[in-house]
């Protein structure tokens, strides 16, 4: 007796992950009936968010923290379109999100149906623009083949999202086979060729003051042993924080607002040299650059490199560390003293970052939202790989809370901290209901200042006026407590440390919001300090 498409889909999903996210609908009844059976047998865990926007982001960050795919199940039409923000974010930032969406009945594709997009191939064609690959399943026999291919493509560096579409009338079709093999797919690194290794070694042999620059792509793996063998100064981008512990002797600092990277040779691993991290590409770089990345599309676009190598950071370092003996020297970015004074009762961004940095455990994972809060979060140190998520590129506002839920489900043993401004909070606090329902314990730091700082600052600088920069104020305490989430509110500077400690303690046992009233006139020193 064969299996239905629904059975095969859940078979393949449960062979790859222990957790799945999704929002059901009448289109997917047989799929969710099969999922119900597996959940009841303890074969897989299921999480239903409040909206596909947040749920797909949960699956995205589950993937990032787990080092595996994250799977989100969507109905067609609005369910699919609500998932697109996460899909594009995963494409932009290299996350192995697998979005599985239904579509209306294929045999009646020319007739209008519930959740109809008006054009049958619309979802597939939209997804193709923001994925590494997109597939449609036409029969049960397609399922094992397509799912295995999807997981492999998603997990091969540069990792990225894959879209799978299933017409509703295919779900209950039965295949003519019983025996098929399902194997778990692991992350697939891209290794340099022998010629590329030779070229890199020739480049490095001529360096007298080499310096490493590690980006987000380098922060995904534990590469510290390779870094220590090289023994040269290490800078990181903001998104590359965590690729080396920030208390390590070789750590030199971040390049944010730095005017010049010293040395005669730059070894750049896993970075795209985006505008915000390079002061709109004005940072002065060493004359000779070796650029390593699994995505060839980043080569010679923002900067020109003497040598480019298509490879994962970890795979590249593994090939070269035992074959080079680089000249040793030292360098540290000069730290600027932020304006942390004690003669005021107001809480500033800098002071909040300082207290959080001093209070959180070394096993912290920082996930920041879009806005001034993410600039503040740059000053919170991290000490392990895969510990710092500060988009700076796609930068979706209202993503930090669902991202933290996904991250905590993936790594329940780690201290997950969401940092978010009040406007972003208003856009996604509904997912705290998900956290309360499933007892996902993490800390959300609500940076409440009533203002879109970054927008206001730029408007004043350019036009001398501001518009729509004030955030409508609500009583967040009442709202969040109504959901069943802890709230610790702090308004005075002298109470901040105690409140942070209390909130951190509560977050170990239940989801907790630390509501911090930050001065509306505060500006993070990183926005006004140049290196």
């Amino acid at each position: 007796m064969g299996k239905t498409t629904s059975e095969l889909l859940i078979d393949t999903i449960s062979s790859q992950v222990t957790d799945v996210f999704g929002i059901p609908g009448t289109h997917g009844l047989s799929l969710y009936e099969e999922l119900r059976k597996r959940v009841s047998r303890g074969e897989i865990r299921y999480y239903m968010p409040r909206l596909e926007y947040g749920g797909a982001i949960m699956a995205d960050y589950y993937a990032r923290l787990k080092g595996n795919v994250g799977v989100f199940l969507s109905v067609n039409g609005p369910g699919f379109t609500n998932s697109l923000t996460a899909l594009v974010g995963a494409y932009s930032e290299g996350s192995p999100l697998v979005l599985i969406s239904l579509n209306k009945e294929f045999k009646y594709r020319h007739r209008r149906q519930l959740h109809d997009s008006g054009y049958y191939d619309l979802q597939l064609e939209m997804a193709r623009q923001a994925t590494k690959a997109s597939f449609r399943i036409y029969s049960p026999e397609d399922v094992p083949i397509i799912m295995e291919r999807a997981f492999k493509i998603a997990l091969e560096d540069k990792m990225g999202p894959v879209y799978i579409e299933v017409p509703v009338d295919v779900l209950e079709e039965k295949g003519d086979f019983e025996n098929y093999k399902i194997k778990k797919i692991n992350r697939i690194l891209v290794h340099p060729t022998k010629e590329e290794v030779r070229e890199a070694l020739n480049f490095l042999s001529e360096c007298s003051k080499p310096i490493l620059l590690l980006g987000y792509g380098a922060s995904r793996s534990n590469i510290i042993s390779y870094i220590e063998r090289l023994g040269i100064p290490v800078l990181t981008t903001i998104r590359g924080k965590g690729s080396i512990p920030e208390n390590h002797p070789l750590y030199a600092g971040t390049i944010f607002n730095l005017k010049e990277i010293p040395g005669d040779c730059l070894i750049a691993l896993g970075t795209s040299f985006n505008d915000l991290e390079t002061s709109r590409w004005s940072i002065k770089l060493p004359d000779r650059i070796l650029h390593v990345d699994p995505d060839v599309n980043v080569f010679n676009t923002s900067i020109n490199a003497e040598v480019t190598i298509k490879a994962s950071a970890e795979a590249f370092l593994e090939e070269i560390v035992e074959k080079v003996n680089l000249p040793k020297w030292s360098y540290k970015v000069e730290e600027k003293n932020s304006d942390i004074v004690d003669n005021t009762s107001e809480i500033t961004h800098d002071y909040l970052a300082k207290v959080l940095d001093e209070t959180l455990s070394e096993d912290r994972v920082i996930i920041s939202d879009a806005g001034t809060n993410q600039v503040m979060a740059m000053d919170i140190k991290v000490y392990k790989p895969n510990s710092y998520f500060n988009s700076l590129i796609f930068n979706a506002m209202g993503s930090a809370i669902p991202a933290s839920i996904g991250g905590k489900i993936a790594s329940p043993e780690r201290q997950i901290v969401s940092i978010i401004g009040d406007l972003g909070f208003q856009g996604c606090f509904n997912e705290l209901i998900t956290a309360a329902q499933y007892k996902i314990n993490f800390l959300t730091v609500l940076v409440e200042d009533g203002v879109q700082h970054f927008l206001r600052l730029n408007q004043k600088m350019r036009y001398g006026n501001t518009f729509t920069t004030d955030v409508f104020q609500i009583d967040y305490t009442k709202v969040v407590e109504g959901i069943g989430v802890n709230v610790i509110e702090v308004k005075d500077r002298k109470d901040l440390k105690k409140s942070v400690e209390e909130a951190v303690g509560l977050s170990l046992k239940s989801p907790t919001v630390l509501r911090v009233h930050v001065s509306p006139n505060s500006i993070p020193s990183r926005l006004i300090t140049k290196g």
Side-chain angles (χ1 to χ4, degrees):
M1 189 167 118
K3 289 191 173 186
T4 66
T5 298
S6 290
E7 290 176 295
L8 292 165
L9 281 168
I10 303 301
D11 276 349
T12 52
I13 292 169
S14 59
S15 73
Q16 184 68 27
V17 295
T18 55
D19 309 273
V20 64
F21 305 82
I23 293 183
T26 53
H27 286 78
L29 294 177
S30 63
L31 182 64
Y32 272 82
E33 172 59 16
E34 189 58 38
L35 182 57
R36 181 196 65 78
K37 294 175 185 177
R38 307 301 176 91
V39 170
S40 66
R41 296 200 294 261
E43 296 176 13
I44 196 167
R45 292 181 292 267
Y46 167 72
Y47 300 90
M48 188 184 79
R50 304 309 101 178
L51 191 67
E52 291 89 356
Y53 170 85
I57 290 172
M58 290 176 199
D60 173 5
Y61 277 76
Y62 175 93
R64 299 186 197 208
L65 268 293
K66 200 76 171 177
N68 192 359
V69 298
V71 177
F72 185 73
L73 306 175
S74 162
V75 296
N76 48 304
F80 168 79
T81 56
N82 283 344
S83 307
L84 279 176
T85 295
L87 193 72
V88 177
Y91 185 68
S92 172
E93 299 184 17
S95 175
L97 168 66
V98 175
L99 172 61
I100 302 175
S101 178
L102 303 174
N103 203 345
K104 64 183 184 179
E105 295 172 86
F106 187 74
K107 62 184 174 183
Y108 296 133
R109 60 189 177 278
H110 300 303
R111 301 180 185 180
R112 300 307 295 267
Q113 301 175 43
L114 180 64
H115 294 329
D116 200 312
S117 301
Y119 168 49
Y120 194 79
D121 291 333
L122 181 142
Q123 293 182 184
L124 194 64
E125 292 185 5
M126 289 179 71
R128 281 175 178 155
Q129 305 305 312
T131 56
K132 292 180 73 177
S134 293
F135 302 96
R136 179 181 289 151
I137 289 171
Y138 291 97
S139 70
E141 288 78 14
D142 287 345
V143 176
I145 299 167
I146 286 178
M147 294 297 283
E148 183 176 346
R149 284 181 65 193
F151 293 153
K152 280 183 177 178
I153 291 169
L155 288 166
E156 182 180 19
D157 269 351
K158 176 187 174 184
M159 293 187 286
V162 174
Y163 173 68
I164 300 169
E165 183 171 290
V166 189
V168 173
D169 50 343
V170 176
L171 285 176
E172 296 186 43
E173 287 185 13
K174 282 192 174 182
D176 296 328
F177 59 94
E178 290 186 37
N179 298 320
Y180 57 94
K181 293 182 180 180
I182 304 175
K183 60 180 180 179
K184 184 176 180 179
I185 307 298
N186 296 315
R187 182 183 174 190
I188 304 165
L189 299 179
V190 177
H191 291 264
T193 65
K194 290 182 179 179
E195 179 56 36
E196 286 175 324
V197 171
R198 188 179 304 112
E199 194 173 4
L201 294 175
N202 289 338
F203 175 94
L204 295 170
S205 68
E206 299 172 356
C207 298
S208 58
K209 293 180 76 174
I211 189 166
L212 269 172
L213 174 62
L214 304 179
Y216 179 62
S219 72
R220 309 291 285 273
S221 305
N222 190 345
I223 57 174
I224 189 62
S225 62
Y226 300 126
I227 294 171
E228 288 174 340
R229 285 184 224 174
L230 291 179
I232 60 175
V234 180
L235 287 165
T236 74
T237 65
I238 292 298
R239 298 176 71 237
K241 280 163 64 79
S243 49
I244 179 173
E246 293 188 49
N247 57 0
H248 195 283
L250 292 174
Y251 177 68
T254 72
I255 64 168
F256 189 82
N257 277 350
L258 199 63
K259 290 181 179 178
E260 180 178 1
I261 295 178
D264 66 334
C265 294
L266 179 65
I267 308 163
L269 308 182
T271 177
S272 61
F273 293 94
N274 70 73
D275 62 339
L276 289 178
E277 295 185 291
T278 60
S279 298
R280 288 194 59 78
W281 311 288
S282 66
I283 186 171
K284 189 175 186 305
L285 304 175
D287 291 335
R288 306 186 66 218
I289 299 172
L290 167 65
H291 193 181
V292 179
D293 200 280
D295 181 9
V296 297
N297 293 310
V298 303
F299 293 150
N300 298 322
T301 54
S302 298
I303 60 102
N304 291 318
E306 180 178 326
V307 176
T308 58
I309 294 177
K310 180 183 178 180
S312 308
E314 182 180 358
F316 171 76
L317 291 172
E318 183 181 11
E319 289 287 347
I320 63 114
V321 289
E322 299 296 346
K323 300 170 183 173
V324 294
N325 184 15
L326 297 176
K328 305 301 185 286
W329 65 294
S330 61
Y331 168 73
K332 292 282 184 185
V333 173
E334 182 183 351
E335 292 189 6
K336 305 295 181 181
N337 293 322
S338 57
D339 185 24
I340 299 177
V341 293
D342 295 317
N343 59 355
T344 176
S345 63
E346 292 185 323
I347 300 171
T348 62
H349 291 91
D350 288 342
Y351 188 64
L352 175 55
K354 178 178 182 292
V355 174
L356 288 170
D357 186 49
E358 292 171 346
T359 308
L360 299 173
S361 76
E362 286 202 2
D363 198 24
R364 65 191 67 168
V365 176
I366 304 299
I367 301 176
S368 70
D369 207 70
T372 313
N373 69 90
Q374 72 187 131
V375 180
M376 182 199 84
M378 294 177 187
D379 287 320
I380 302 175
K381 300 179 184 68
V382 289
Y383 303 95
K384 295 183 178 181
N386 225 20
S387 296
Y388 191 82
F389 300 93
N390 191 334
S391 175
L392 292 176
I393 299 181
F394 188 64
N395 218 28
M397 182 176 284
S399 63
I401 289 175
S404 296
I405 292 171
K408 186 66 175 182
I409 292 168
S411 298
E413 76 286 353
R414 302 199 66 186
Q415 184 181 58
I416 308 292
V417 182
S418 164
I419 298 178
I420 190 167
D422 33 12
L423 189 62
F425 186 87
Q426 291 180 11
C428 67
F429 73 81
N430 61 323
E431 295 303 349
L432 288 174
I433 303 171
T434 308
Q437 177 182 356
Y438 295 102
K439 297 178 173 56
I440 311 300
N441 305 330
F442 69 101
L443 177 63
T444 293
V445 180
L446 169 56
V447 184
E448 183 183 351
D449 50 31
V451 163
Q452 294 188 74
H453 272 94
F454 202 67
L455 180 61
R456 182 178 68 172
L457 187 65
N458 277 274
Q459 285 180 350
K460 280 188 174 181
M461 288 170 58
R462 180 170 290 192
Y463 305 111
N465 298 300
T466 64
F467 181 64
T468 70
T469 59
D470 293 333
V471 179
F472 182 74
Q473 293 300 287
I474 63 173
D475 190 335
Y476 298 101
T477 299
K478 285 183 179 179
V479 171
V480 174
E481 285 181 341
I483 293 171
V485 171
N486 298 317
V487 184
I488 301 296
E489 184 175 5
V490 56
K491 298 180 178 180
D492 197 294
R493 185 189 198 89
K494 68 179 181 347
D495 300 323
L496 181 61
K497 186 168 180 59
K498 180 182 177 183
S499 296
V500 170
E501 291 172 350
E502 184 180 359
V504 167
L506 285 172
S507 70
L508 301 176
K509 301 175 183 178
S510 58
T512 300
V513 171
L514 174 64
R515 182 184 178 188
V516 185
H517 292 263
V518 170
S519 168
N521 297 314
S522 168
I523 299 175
S525 58
R526 278 186 179 267
L527 284 179
I528 55 178
T529 302
K530 295 292 181 182

